[in-house]
């Protein structure tokens, strides 16, 4: 499933700038993914308020930006819940310098962790695997931005990006909604 052009980093950045919101698109996406993977209810009222707290001090967004964020939420939710659609963090393309991509990954991870923490304030009660992933992601959030532009650094970046992606999916598998039984069978109703 291709990402709609309206959901590109550039489109989101233009709308954020027009609304004078000092967040980078990767931060918005990271926070949104953190809320989803932390188990926020999918009803609009459940996820919009905490997202607005994170990206705009709780203030409403202009209508065009709000629509774009809602589209981003739906696209992200679809990608996280259906492995065929290939979820990945919203990050700059390879044309950007490696330092910029590393910085963007760090911002994405920071926002993701904040989003998860808002929905799951008792992360210390999570499974050992999730606690370890959260700890490792916190280290990724502190990564140095000044990196060499070489194959080894590029490979390390790709490895960190994949770890962030898999960490998000692990959090969703633990905190997300229970999968529904689509077998068509229902429990008998007793009247």
């Amino acid at each position: 499933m291709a990402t709609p052009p309206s959901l590109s980093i550039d489109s989101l950045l233009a709308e954020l700038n027009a609304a004078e919101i000092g967040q980078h698109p990767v931060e918005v996406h990271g926070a949104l993914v953190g809320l989803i993977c932390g188990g926020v209810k999918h009803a609009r009222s459940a996820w919009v308020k905490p997202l607005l707290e994170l990206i705009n001090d709780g203030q409403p967004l202009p209508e065009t930006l709000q629509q774009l964020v809602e589209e981003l939420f739906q696209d992200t939710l679809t990608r996280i819940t259906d492995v065929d659609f290939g979820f990945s963090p919203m990050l700059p393309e390879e044309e950007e310098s490696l330092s910029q991509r590393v910085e963007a990954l760090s911002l994405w991870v920071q926002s993701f962790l904040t989003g998860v923490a808002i929905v799951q304030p008792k992360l210390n009660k999570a499974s050992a695997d999730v606690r370890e992933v959260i700890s490792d992601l916190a280290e990724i959030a502190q990564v140095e931005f000044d990196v060499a532009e070489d194959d080894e650094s590029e490979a390390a970046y790709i490895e960190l990006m994949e770890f962030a992606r898999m960490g998000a999916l692990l959090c969703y598998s633990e905190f997300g909604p229970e999968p529904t039984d689509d077998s068509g069978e229902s429990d008998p109703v007793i009247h």
Side-chain angles (χ1 to χ4, degrees):
M1 177 169 112
T3 301
S6 61
L7 296 183
S8 71
I9 285 181
D10 293 339
S11 300
L12 190 52
L13 182 60
E15 290 297 329
L16 288 165
N17 287 341
E20 298 181 357
I21 296 174
Q23 298 287 319
H24 191 282
V26 300
E27 292 174 290
V28 174
H29 188 252
L32 196 56
V33 173
L35 292 171
I36 292 169
C37 293
V40 76
K41 302 289 185 238
H42 298 170
R44 182 179 188 271
S45 59
W47 65 268
V48 169
K49 185 177 181 197
L51 183 67
L52 292 178
E53 291 291 331
L54 289 172
I55 69 170
N56 199 30
D57 295 325
Q59 299 302 308
L61 301 175
E63 188 175 329
T64 55
L65 180 55
Q66 182 63 44
Q67 288 174 340
L68 190 60
V69 168
E70 288 179 18
E71 190 179 336
L72 183 62
F73 175 84
Q74 289 304 322
D75 182 72
T76 302
L77 185 60
T78 299
R79 291 174 184 281
I80 287 175
T81 58
D82 190 335
V83 294
D84 293 336
F85 291 129
F87 163 75
S88 65
M90 176 186 270
L91 295 168
E93 298 294 327
E94 291 177 10
E95 295 80 37
E96 298 293 329
S97 74
L98 185 57
S99 292
Q100 288 175 312
R101 289 182 286 145
V102 168
E103 181 177 6
L105 177 61
S106 174
L107 290 172
W108 189 93
V109 170
Q110 288 171 25
S111 297
F112 170 79
L113 291 172
T114 303
V116 170
I118 284 176
V119 183
Q120 290 294 329
K122 295 183 181 175
L123 281 173
N124 58 337
K125 302 231 189 285
S127 70
D129 287 344
V130 167
R131 287 193 318 268
E132 183 178 346
V133 161
I134 295 292
S135 174
D136 291 345
L137 286 172
E139 288 182 29
I140 291 173
Q142 304 300 319
V143 72
E144 293 291 323
F145 304 146
D146 189 24
V147 294
E149 297 278 339
D150 58 24
D151 290 344
E152 186 177 322
S153 297
E154 183 73 32
Y157 166 77
I158 290 169
E159 193 173 305
L160 291 175
M161 185 176 65
E162 179 63 13
F163 184 84
R165 184 182 84 78
M166 294 306 294
L169 293 172
L170 178 65
C171 289
Y172 185 77
S173 72
E174 180 152 332
F175 301 128
E178 293 292 320
T180 56
D181 180 14
D182 292 334
S183 65
E185 297 174 18
S186 59
D187 294 332
V189 177
I190 300 173
H191 293 279

